[in-house]
Amino acid sequence: MLFVILLGSSFLIYNLAAIASDPLEELRVSSDPKVKQQILVLIRDLQLNVPPPLRYFNWLKGVLGGFVGDFNLGLTRSHESVADAIGHAIPISIRLVLGATILAIVLGITVGIVTALRQYSKFDYAMTFLSFLFFSLPIFWVAVLLKEYLAIGFNDFLADPVLSWPWLLGLSVFAGVFWSSVLGGSRSQVFLKFGIAFSANALVLFLLSETHWFAQPALGPLVVFAMSLGVAFVVTHLSVGLSNRKVLYGSLSVSVLGFALYLPVQQLFTKQFSDLTLWGLFAASLLVGITAGYFSTKIDRGAAIRTTSLVALLTFGIIYVDRLMRTWKSYSETDAINYRPVPTVGEANSLLEPGNYWFTTLDSALHLFLPTVALTIISFAGYVRFSRGSLLEVLNQDYIRTARAKGLTERTVIMRHAFRNALIPLTTIIAADFAGVIGGAIITERVFGWVGMGTLFNKAIGGQDLNLLMGVFFVTSSLAVLANLVADLLYSALDPRIRIGK
Amino acid sequence: MKATRIARAIAVAAVGALTVTGVSTLVVNPADAAVRSTVVVVSSNAMTSLNPGTPDTNLTINADIAYVTGMGFNYYNDQRNLVQNKVLGSYKIVKNTASDFRVAYTLNAGKVWSDGTPITGVDLLLSHVLSSGAYSKAAGLGDPSNTEVAPLFNSGGYGGPYDSHVVGLPTLSADKMTVTVRYDAFQPDWQIMGPGVAPVHALELMAAGKKTLQSVSANNTAKAKFLTDFKTKNSASLKKIANIWSNDYNIATISSSTNPLLLVSNGAYIVKSAVSGQSTTLVLNPKYNSGPKTSGLKTIVFKYIDDPTAAAQALKNGEINVFQGQADASSVAQLKAMSGVTVAGGTSACFEHVDLRQGAGPGTSDDYTGPFAASNNATKNAKARALRTAFLLAYPRQEILDKLVKPINSKAVLVNSSFLLPGQTGYNTIVAKSGVSKFTAGTQAARTAAALELVKNYYPSASASNQVVDIDMLWGSRANTRRAAEFELVVAAEAKAGFNVTDTMYGADGWGGELDNNDYDAAFFAWCPTAVSQTGSNANFQSDGSNNHIGFASDSVDNATHTLETKLSDAQITAQYLIVEKKLISDAVTLPIFQHPAVTGYTSALKGVKPAPLSPNLVWNFWQWHF
Amino acid sequence: MAKKKTAPAVAGENAIELQETAGLSQNQIVFRRFLRHRAAMISVIGLLFIVLFVFSAAGLRFGSERNAATTPGWWPYSITDIADMSSENCAEGLVGCPTLDVLPAFIDGTGMGLGKHPFGQDDIGRDYFALVMRGAEQSIQIMLIIGSIGALLGTVIGAISGFFRGWIDAVLMRLTDFIITVPTLIIGAVIGHRVGNLGVTLLGVFLGLFAWTGLSRLVRGEFLSLREREFVDAARVAGASNRRIIFKHILPNAVGVIIVSVTLLMSGAILLETGLSYLGFGVVSPDVSLGSLISQYQTSFSVRPWLFWWPGFLIVAIALCINFIGDGLRDAFDPRQKRRITKRDLVKADKASKDA
């Protein structure tokens, strides 16, 4: 069935695109003495004298060749293999959108939940306004602004990394407003919280700025430990509640272990560090987490293990990020970077000598930074709105009332009963979004100079390159169809009430 | 609850404060960029091949990289002059009779490829294989004019004047350093038709399956083998070489595992690495001695950025050093406002012009019967000519220049000759004598009034508010904002002279596909000559010229253009141009408008960047670049 | 973390809720709730203002730029009037600057006023206010067309396939898949190429025909889930027809999701058109849209910001209004949605019950 759909739409697209393009256009106004030969060559190479509906079958033959091990998407107009070009582009596209999509989902759902719980609060209005505002911004505009301030401005700032007073106060006021509105409460409480958040931020920023921290960022063992403890508290609070002392102690012991292992682990972080080691270390932390969870309690071990594992993974994540941050200074000092570490275009600095894991990792992370922010900002709104709406809907269901009536804590009601059910309708959107975004980040890729599927697509249309266009189309449409299939299956798996067949 | 929350807020603050403890005080001194030796150049495409010689790979970026990695006998400078590269060798006419025209190309001794192999005349012979259809057929390498199958050497060199006029094989001198090419008649563009050097030994070695650089003696043996293959038209050997030349050079990813034989070149830089779709890195060629000395830049990177705004911001952020692009007024102002960035204005090779249809286009058998149709009937002809003259008189050339071009290139001037561009030898003579002053004298208001009078002679009811002559205009793609703005200006201006200008829908083939049809009365677009040539504009005005889309036919012009194909002095050339230009003006056939502006922005610390209008545009003097 | 409610408070809330809705039809209840949604009401007024302002300034038009039936607007310039570049109000080296002056005389000494070209002039001297107004008109048209076609097709197809399931679902969903696989850009490119200057109406229709897929999948999902609920069984047992079940029972329950999605679709439509214009496939000269203006002048951002900010501001304003209206509608339609009970309401209710 999927096959028939792809067949039909590829036929349609092929012919539409063939109708809409004129590969000879440039040559018609060329004053090159060899123009006649050039036109002959182009007609010959692109088989322009074969009508498009028939030419389609030539293309199809190459695709169907895949069944006998002779898959062939043809050549681009510059005689590259289309399959190769796409092979290069797909990982880049995935890298570009994966982080942003996950970030948008996590942030969007979090904010969606908070706004649903505080419906019609100032925070709700502010977030609604912000998410709609972000949603309404054309991405190339966002890109221009982000580059101007987060990249160029920040790099300029790094030359003398001392925050000016207006900036320091402005950022602190922002932090104060943000935290006080998130935490909410009565008017006097809000003022108090604003005061605390404002002064804490001002103090921290002042110290960071005075110590030139921004030019040589690092966390250090103590901060890593403190953050890990914070993570332990928050995760435990959200999953089983702080009143469950056994799990809390389990999480805290994971943090302590992380602190103890901080220095030994640094020995592994050499230049030759590899992704394989990284995954190994993640696996090891997972193991630590599982063990700690298992032994911390006998009641509801599953939840305990989930909690401690998450704490362990996050703790290791913090240690890893700390190491990356400490690469920042030497990275900035390389010839290739020349003290301007935040880039605006491309996916890697081609001048950077390969061989240093931390340099290359930081380099790709920094190149991902702006596009990720831009994509997240843009797609964040949808998730906020849908998760807010969905949760509001669920919160009004009878089973929530029942759960409350049973005397379950608010945390349990929201995290276990409401939240999970509210996520179900989101699966459809997430699946479709992801597929769409792989083929559809055309403008994002263009403005950030990434050569992924979107760029290929744009090049194919602009350069009237039918084979390339069809190749990109073939991949993206297959993905789209697959994503919808997965969404369907997920949907019925998550919601047992749903039956798709009769 | 309340206490918990406050506690949490304090915790947040505490965590933030603790962040500081891992920090030691240290002041960073940003190094000054004075010692940089790397230039990153933006390209509007990514490299797809090391060989720009096939019809599929003749992209600007491929040609630029080939230019930087390979030196030939000559190049165009920023003044559109062809400069001989005397370091590599020299060329001169050795015989010039009616049916025998010979040019000898002599290489200087001691020039070497990047693998150390001496460059000799044998390296010049491949050009013949790549340009002569007759050789291709004779050697069993396929017929380039076959409409079904591509020749084995899939070269873009076939079908040109070299192909049609070369006689026999080029001959090699006894010392193998001089090659003489013979043509059947004088070739006005002989200087740009000549051969270039190619590392034939590398081709032979790769054909023999070699994957590493070989010793110089092995290379010389391979070179000798090529000479034999060439002379004997050794089909089997040449086929292998053809396959390598046509396909193996088409690589977009280059790394240390790439066959180094593919990278053998004689330019100042050699390709070191390339990331598919993104960038190509070139480094100094230590054995380079085929051209001018470089100023010491160690690395040149071509980085592909499609979006001009993105390129401009990357320039501001110091990620790139040179950016040349299609610019609009705003982006020029934006570049100019950046500190540390220098903006070089200038022109590209293209110039915009407006054409008025005289007769049927070559793509149709119907007669053209529109208001501008030339006719054998004197009255009708006079009316059509008057209308054409009126149309050109009212054409807002100055306004177009002022509003659309000057904001980008403040030094832009109107182009007033269809053959020469401002600044070229003879331009002033032609402008003074061709009669073009008719279209430049006075104010635009006065010219428009004169145009309206001309129209009123035939359509008394015509006025600025009553457009009586319907003109269908063809122009570029609507997505091109400058052209669209240009068209709006034309519509408004021509309306004042009684013309109702519209643009019909272009059909399936795009606007270019409509050029040969009769469906339009007037058109504006650009000619983009790729070389300076005394015959370069012939195809536009000869009655059977391939670029004569407007059905213009004149015996005197045909005579003049044929004369231009012979060897002439500068004065004689100008005289012939004048004949054509006078006819074009008096018959109101066409008017040039402006040269397309080009904008280059570069890091101010980088010196020696002098953008040139003709290919290889920006990189023509890369050896002079330095920090 | 929600407030724990005491029993009397809950009773009070219910009383208020009941009192609110007593004697009103469903539509009236929805309408009342909507009226009370402050952000939505502000947005309705804002959007109405924008629409009236824009359409009256530029005049109504039907058809393409040069072959249109138009009614005159109150703004003296049209987008085909080309004037000389004026350097009024300009900094050194610039021309065509906005003459709008919103600062009264006692601040900058020049007094408030529109001037000749309040939004400035474009590159060739056209009045930018006229261009922006025409652009907004076109963009609103595109948005409405895409929104209504998308909403209609998406809801109907999603509802039918979710409700009937089986082969109907299979066929319709395959149709949806088919449409999903066709990239909007290709449609844009083809239309841009073939019918580029037939005006924005056709562009909107074509894009609308391809924009409903997400919505239809969403609606289908809702229907699949809602049709298994008790109230649907109850309606069926009571003998309600399929049509009645779909429109009277399921649809009102799904309407929240639909409206959120349609409003996102509509504001997305403006952005889609902007994106198409950026890539050169959207509205093309001589027609203008907000998208084509903002993408044409995106480089003006730092040097001639007014060319960029006006259309950008309108895009954001329109999209914001649409989204807030959608938000208000969603809340109003949600049958289980409760009004936020303020303390004052409780006091009032308390007093009322005491009085009674």
Side-chain angles (χ1 to χ4, degrees):
Chain A
M1 195 62 224
L2 293 181
F3 185 72
V4 176
I5 289 170
L6 287 178
L7 210 62
S9 59
S10 62
F11 183 74
L12 181 75
I13 294 296
Y14 194 96
N15 285 289
L16 280 181
I19 288 171
S21 68
D22 176 24
L24 296 176
E25 182 170 328
E26 257 176 57
L27 290 178
R28 284 182 221 271
V29 291
S30 163
S31 49
D32 193 307
K34 288 187 291 235
V35 69
K36 283 205 170 109
Q37 174 74 14
Q38 287 166 352
I39 289 178
L40 179 146
V41 167
L42 206 53
I43 291 177
R44 180 178 69 202
D45 286 3
L46 302 180
Q47 298 181 299
L48 294 183
N49 44 6
V50 180
L54 292 179
R55 240 190 297 155
Y56 167 76
F57 288 99
N58 272 339
W59 178 81
L60 188 64
K61 206 168 80 189
V63 177
L64 294 182
F67 290 107
V68 293
D70 182 25
F71 186 65
N72 182 7
L73 287 174
L75 298 173
T76 66
R77 278 185 63 183
S78 54
H79 264 225
E80 258 181 296
S81 149
V82 171
D84 278 358
I86 290 177
H88 281 294
I90 287 183
I92 293 174
S93 277
I94 291 182
R95 211 138 56 85
L96 180 66
V97 298
L98 190 68
T101 310
I102 292 176
L103 207 60
I105 291 171
V106 171
L107 276 181
I109 291 179
T110 313
V111 173
I113 290 171
V114 177
T115 49
L117 294 179
R118 297 191 191 287
Q119 196 188 6
Y120 299 134
S121 67
K122 288 205 179 62
F123 179 72
D124 183 21
Y125 280 124
M127 274 300 144
T128 308
F129 182 80
L130 268 188
S131 60
F132 284 158
L133 182 70
F134 289 155
F135 184 74
S136 321
L137 298 174
I139 187 141
F140 53 82
W141 185 1
V142 176
V144 167
L145 293 176
L146 288 179
K147 287 178 183 183
E148 197 65 35
Y149 298 110
L150 281 189
I152 300 171
F154 188 67
N155 284 334
D156 289 345
F157 161 74
L158 285 182
D160 178 25
V162 176
L163 275 175
S164 64
W165 282 108
W167 267 101
L168 200 150
L169 293 179
L171 285 173
S172 306
V173 168
F174 175 78
V177 171
F178 180 79
W179 285 111
S180 57
S181 61
V182 170
L183 297 172
S186 73
R187 183 158 298 188
S188 59
Q189 275 181 322
V190 166
F191 275 117
L192 181 65
K193 283 166 191 162
F194 173 84
I196 293 173
F198 171 83
S199 33
N201 259 282
L203 181 69
V204 170
L205 283 178
F206 176 73
L207 289 175
L208 293 181
S209 144
E210 283 304 301
T211 52
H212 293 245
W213 185 85
F214 294 104
Q216 39 175 354
L219 297 176
L222 280 182
V223 178
V224 168
F225 183 46
M227 288 175 80
S228 167
L229 286 180
V231 164
F233 272 107
V234 170
V235 171
T236 315
H237 172 70
L238 288 179
S239 66
V240 294
L242 290 179
S243 53
N244 192 333
R245 292 293 147 142
K246 287 185 171 167
V247 178
L248 178 62
Y249 295 147
S251 304
L252 291 178
S253 51
V254 169
S255 293
V256 172
L257 189 65
F259 179 55
L261 288 177
Y262 177 85
L263 281 177
V265 169
Q266 301 297 322
Q267 305 310 312
L268 290 173
F269 289 159
T270 58
K271 267 189 195 176
Q272 288 80 33
F273 195 76
S274 70
D275 280 337
L276 197 70
T277 332
L278 178 65
W279 294 122
L281 285 175
F282 266 117
S285 351
L286 190 64
L287 205 67
V288 169
I290 292 173
T291 321
Y294 185 83
F295 288 111
S296 64
T297 175
K298 284 180 183 141
I299 314 152
D300 199 3
R301 268 193 173 141
I305 287 174
R306 277 201 298 277
T307 310
T308 49
S309 310
L310 193 58
V311 173
L313 288 178
L314 288 175
T315 303
F316 176 67
I318 294 170
I319 295 176
Y320 179 75
V321 169
D322 169 61
R323 176 66 182 84
L324 264 188
M325 285 169 90
R326 284 188 288 112
T327 315
W328 177 277
K329 184 162 176 282
S330 44
Y331 171 80
S332 302
E333 284 165 351
T334 56
D335 229 18
I337 308 307
N338 199 27
Y339 297 97
R340 297 192 73 83
V342 187
T344 62
V345 281
E347 48 152 318
N349 190 321
S350 47
L351 293 171
L352 199 66
E353 291 292 330
N356 186 328
Y357 172 86
W358 301 100
F359 280 6
T360 43
T361 308
L362 187 62
D363 189 57
S364 19
L366 286 171
H367 278 87
L368 260 175
F369 173 57
L370 288 187
T372 302
V373 172
L375 278 175
T376 307
I377 282 181
I378 301 285
S379 47
F380 162 79
Y383 293 115
V384 175
R385 298 322 289 162
F386 277 112
S387 56
R388 177 179 178 272
S390 183
L391 189 63
L392 281 178
E393 185 135 355
V394 170
L395 282 177
N396 282 313
Q397 300 278 354
D398 292 338
Y399 61 81
I400 297 295
R401 197 171 297 211
T402 316
R404 287 211 173 105
K406 279 198 296 190
L408 294 180
T409 61
E410 193 63 21
R411 188 189 54 74
T412 317
V413 172
I414 288 165
M415 294 303 289
R416 291 237 171 138
H417 291 79
F419 176 58
R420 289 189 186 179
N421 287 304
L423 284 187
I424 294 174
L426 281 169
T427 52
T428 328
I429 304 161
I430 291 174
D433 250 29
F434 196 69
V437 106
I438 285 194
I442 297 173
I443 296 175
T444 317
E445 284 182 18
R446 190 176 135 90
V447 292
F448 286 110
W450 282 59
V451 188
M453 295 297 276
T455 309
L456 287 194
F457 188 83
N458 198 21
K459 256 169 83 176
I461 291 192
Q464 317 190 317
D465 195 331
L466 208 50
N467 276 340
L468 185 56
L469 179 70
M470 291 309 291
V472 175
F473 159 80
F474 180 73
V475 173
T476 50
S477 55
S478 309
L479 269 179
V481 172
L482 265 181
N484 279 320
L485 195 72
V486 170
D488 267 359
L489 296 177
L490 265 181
Y491 204 75
S492 48
L494 289 176
D495 191 345
R497 287 169 307 186
I498 288 169
R499 293 170 291 146
I500 291 184
K502 268 212 168 155
Chain B
M1 209 67 179
K2 181 179 159 189
T4 330
R5 278 193 199 160
I6 295 173
R8 217 176 299 143
I10 293 171
V12 168
V15 168
L18 270 172
T19 326
V20 193
T21 53
V23 176
S24 59
T25 313
L26 219 156
V27 182
V28 181
N29 298 314
D32 35 0
V35 288
R36 298 212 78 184
S37 61
T38 300
V39 167
V40 184
V41 184
V42 171
S43 62
S44 57
N45 251 309
M47 185 189 79
T48 62
S49 173
L50 292 164
N51 173 12
T54 80
D56 314 302
T57 57
N58 64 349
L59 302 176
T60 310
I61 176 65
N62 294 343
D64 285 353
I65 289 172
Y67 179 78
V68 178
T69 57
M71 289 305 297
F73 281 107
N74 52 31
Y75 54 85
Y76 279 110
N77 71 3
D78 57 340
Q79 304 300 318
R80 292 171 197 269
N81 296 325
L82 196 64
V83 181
Q84 280 207 32
N85 172 21
K86 295 253 168 72
V87 183
L88 179 67
S90 57
Y91 51 89
K92 59 177 191 286
I93 299 174
V94 289
K95 191 165 190 187
N96 184 15
T97 67
S99 62
D100 191 352
F101 175 68
R102 296 185 197 188
V103 185
Y105 296 84
T106 306
L107 289 158
N108 294 338
K111 304 300 159 198
V112 291
W113 293 102
S114 56
D115 61 355
T117 315
I119 300 176
T120 70
V122 180
D123 295 317
L124 292 169
L125 296 174
L126 186 70
S127 285
H128 182 73
V129 182
L130 299 175
S131 309
S132 164
Y135 186 93
S136 181
K137 274 190 276 188
L141 301 170
D143 178 2
S145 59
N146 186 323
T147 53
E148 301 291 325
V149 191
L152 290 175
F153 276 100
N154 186 19
S155 162
Y158 301 121
Y162 183 96
D163 198 353
S164 28
H165 296 288
V166 71
V167 178
L169 294 184
T171 55
L172 194 61
S173 67
D175 67 351
K176 295 198 172 148
M177 293 308 270
T178 300
V179 166
T180 308
V181 183
R182 180 181 167 189
Y183 303 99
D184 61 6
F186 172 76
Q187 296 301 311
D189 297 329
W190 62 276
Q191 291 204 65
I192 49 173
M193 285 160 60
V197 291
V200 293
H201 64 280
L203 283 166
E204 280 284 1
L205 290 169
M206 284 186 280
K210 295 284 188 292
K211 299 247 188 291
T212 51
L213 295 180
Q214 307 291 309
S215 67
V216 172
S217 65
N219 293 342
N220 284 333
T221 317
K223 190 171 278 189
K225 180 171 184 311
F226 178 79
L227 182 58
T228 323
D229 290 340
F230 173 77
K231 280 184 176 159
T232 57
K233 302 195 175 74
N234 182 342
S235 195
S237 283
L238 288 174
K239 274 179 184 168
K240 280 191 206 156
I241 294 176
N243 183 39
I244 285 161
W245 188 87
S246 305
N247 301 313
D248 287 20
Y249 281 100
N250 301 346
I251 46 174
T253 306
I254 294 170
S255 64
S256 51
S257 60
T258 305
N259 186 347
L261 288 168
L262 287 171
L263 306 177
V264 173
S265 54
N266 74 331
Y269 294 84
I270 42 177
V271 178
K272 182 191 168 208
S273 63
V275 185
S276 174
Q278 296 177 35
S279 63
T280 307
T281 305
L282 312 179
V283 291
L284 267 180
N285 168 9
K287 299 209 166 104
Y288 165 71
N289 63 358
S290 299
K293 268 205 156 55
T294 65
S295 322
L297 280 184
K298 290 198 183 102
T299 314
I300 297 181
V301 177
F302 288 92
K303 190 181 177 84
Y304 164 50
I305 300 177
D306 195 21
D307 185 46
T309 314
Q313 283 191 307
L315 181 61
K316 192 175 182 185
N317 197 28
E319 286 166 82
I320 60 160
N321 303 106
V322 190
F323 156 56
Q324 180 169 57
Q326 261 276 359
D328 58 23
S330 296
S331 46
V332 172
Q334 187 192 7
L335 284 175
K336 282 186 179 157
M338 290 177 188
S339 64
V341 169
T342 305
V343 181
T347 57
S348 76
C350 301
F351 70 96
E352 200 94 339
H353 62 100
V354 49
D355 285 351
L356 306 184
R357 176 170 294 290
Q358 319 279 306
T364 172
S365 51
D366 299 335
D367 281 342
Y368 166 69
T369 55
F372 291 159
S375 168
N376 294 328
N377 175 320
T379 328
K380 278 190 188 169
N381 202 30
K383 176 184 170 188
R385 186 160 64 199
L387 289 179
R388 288 199 301 267
T389 309
F391 192 83
L392 292 187
L393 277 173
Y395 205 85
R397 294 199 305 154
Q398 190 65 43
E399 190 181 6
I400 291 172
L401 185 82
D402 288 345
K403 286 184 172 172
L404 297 174
V405 186
K406 281 204 174 157
I408 307 173
N409 175 14
S410 53
K411 292 180 192 138
V413 290
L414 278 183
V415 179
N416 284 322
S417 158
S418 296
F419 281 85
L420 295 175
L421 292 168
Q424 281 183 290
T425 324
Y427 174 81
N428 291 336
T429 320
I430 287 183
V431 172
K433 294 183 183 164
S434 68
V436 75
S437 55
K438 175 159 73 174
F439 297 115
T440 54
T443 62
Q444 182 63 53
R447 290 196 294 272
T448 304
L452 184 59
E453 287 310 311
L454 275 176
V455 175
K456 273 187 176 168
N457 288 341
Y458 298 94
Y459 300 94
S461 66
S463 76
S465 55
N466 182 30
Q467 285 81 37
V468 288
V469 188
D470 288 332
I471 298 300
D472 207 327
M473 197 150 198
L474 182 76
W475 52 286
S477 156
R478 282 183 175 77
N480 181 333
T481 48
R482 182 162 71 209
R483 289 255 163 83
E486 216 174 316
F487 181 63
E488 292 303 308
L489 289 174
V490 171
V491 172
E494 293 290 351
K496 292 181 193 154
F499 289 101
N500 174 33
V501 180
T502 53
D503 52 347
T504 42
M505 277 268 304
Y506 39 87
D509 292 339
W511 74 277
E514 298 290 301
L515 267 175
D516 286 347
N517 294 335
N518 281 348
D519 304 341
Y520 63 97
D521 308 300
F524 67 84
F525 54 96
W527 296 126
C528 301
T530 49
V532 177
S533 153
Q534 68 183 62
T535 57
S537 300
N538 282 3
N540 304 357
F541 307 115
Q542 266 164 357
S543 38
D544 58 349
S546 61
N547 283 327
N548 182 350
H549 304 288
I550 50 173
F552 172 69
S554 154
D555 291 341
S556 60
V557 168
D558 285 355
N559 281 335
T561 52
H562 284 132
T563 314
L564 279 170
E565 285 162 13
T566 57
K567 189 168 194 312
L568 302 170
S569 69
D570 282 355
Q572 288 169 312
I573 295 172
T574 310
Q576 296 304 317
Y577 285 170
L578 251 181
I579 297 175
V580 182
E581 297 256 10
K582 277 184 178 162
K583 183 72 178 165
L584 295 177
I585 299 293
S586 65
D587 267 12
V589 179
T590 179
L591 266 188
I593 309 172
F594 61 86
Q595 283 176 277
H596 284 198
V599 170
T600 307
Y602 57 92
T603 317
S604 299
L606 183 65
K607 307 292 182 226
V609 178
K610 289 185 208 157
L614 292 171
S615 176
N617 311 78
L618 183 66
V619 294
W620 75 271
N621 68 338
F622 64 87
W623 55 81
Q624 294 176 345
W625 293 359
H626 64 95
F627 276 106
Chain C
M1 266 168 276
K3 288 168 206 127
K4 298 230 167 65
K5 285 163 187 159
T6 56
V10 171
E13 283 179 19
N14 283 342
I16 293 168
E17 193 75 18
L18 283 174
Q19 197 186 7
E20 287 279 324
T21 53
L24 294 175
S25 74
Q26 178 67 26
N27 286 348
Q28 283 168 319
I29 297 172
V30 168
F31 186 61
R32 282 200 161 197
R33 282 198 193 134
F34 183 68
L35 286 186
R36 259 202 312 261
H37 198 286
R38 209 182 316 153
M41 282 321 290
I42 295 173
S43 299
V44 166
I45 295 167
L47 189 63
L48 271 180
F49 175 74
I50 291 176
V51 169
L52 283 177
F53 187 79
V54 160
F55 278 71
S56 65
L60 291 173
R61 72 178 34 234
F62 309 94
S64 70
E65 186 51 46
R66 284 210 178 72
N67 315 299
T70 51
T71 63
W74 49 262
W75 187 245
Y77 301 102
S78 92
I79 67 167
T80 48
D81 294 335
I82 299 174
D84 286 335
M85 302 302 298
S86 133
S87 56
E88 193 185 337
N89 253 9
C90 280
E92 180 70 31
L94 289 173
V95 282
C97 309
T99 54
L100 181 68
D101 189 350
V102 290
L103 295 176
F106 61 83
I107 295 178
D108 63 352
T110 53
M112 294 199 290
L114 285 178
K116 196 163 181 232
H117 300 291
F119 285 10
Q121 290 172 295
D122 77 345
D123 282 342
I124 58 170
R126 288 180 289 188
D127 180 63
Y128 205 59
F129 183 82
L131 284 166
V132 171
M133 289 302 117
R134 169 74 70 239
E137 194 182 299
Q138 309 276 44
S139 290
I140 292 171
Q141 266 186 45
I142 291 188
M143 180 184 80
L144 289 178
I145 293 170
I146 296 183
S148 44
I149 293 181
L152 188 73
L153 284 177
T155 313
V156 169
I157 291 176
I160 291 177
S161 91
F163 185 80
F164 291 105
R165 299 183 309 190
W167 67 269
I168 299 182
D169 178 37
V171 170
L172 287 178
M173 280 304 108
R174 294 301 79 80
L175 177 72
T176 315
D177 284 344
F178 181 81
I179 302 287
I180 285 178
T181 57
V182 178
T184 322
L185 262 185
I186 299 229
I187 304 304
V190 173
I191 299 168
H193 207 87
R194 297 308 301 260
V195 293
N197 57 347
L198 281 191
V200 295
T201 318
L202 262 179
L203 182 70
V205 170
F206 276 108
L207 292 179
L209 288 178
F210 289 87
W212 51 269
T213 51
L215 179 64
S216 84
R217 294 194 62 87
L218 211 64
V219 173
R220 169 176 172 269
E222 281 292 302
F223 267 65
L224 280 176
S225 146
L226 288 169
R227 76 186 301 285
E228 306 294 338
R229 295 273 279 273
E230 299 78 2
F231 64 88
V232 174
D233 288 340
R236 197 173 285 123
V237 169
S241 65
N242 279 342
R243 218 178 77 179
R244 194 178 162 77
I245 293 177
I246 292 179
F247 286 107
K248 290 280 171 186
H249 296 277
I250 303 186
L251 204 55
N253 279 284
V255 92
V257 173
I258 294 177
I259 282 174
V260 172
S261 178
V262 168
T263 49
L264 286 179
L265 175 71
M266 283 171 82
S267 47
I270 279 206
L271 296 173
L272 172 66
E273 189 272 316
T274 308
L276 283 175
S277 292
Y278 175 77
L279 296 170
F281 303 127
V283 171
V284 285
S285 171
D287 277 338
V288 290
S289 70
L290 293 178
S292 71
L293 287 175
I294 197 179
S295 51
Q296 184 181 344
Y297 291 112
Q298 56 150 330
T299 47
S300 307
F301 160 73
S302 57
V303 280
R304 294 183 295 172
W306 59 91
L307 293 175
F308 181 81
W309 283 109
W310 288 116
F313 168 74
L314 268 174
I315 287 182
V316 172
I318 293 171
L320 265 180
C321 286
I322 296 278
N323 279 316
F324 271 112
I325 292 172
D327 203 36
L329 282 174
R330 194 208 72 86
D331 287 356
F333 270 106
D334 187 345
R336 287 175 307 272
Q337 182 67 46
K338 289 202 187 87
R339 184 188 158 198
R340 187 164 65 125
I341 311 289
T342 61
K343 266 191 190 143
R344 213 178 59 186
D345 289 327
L346 279 175
V347 173
K348 231 164 72 184
D350 199 34
K351 216 174 127 197
S353 66
K354 271 180 194 154
D355 288 351

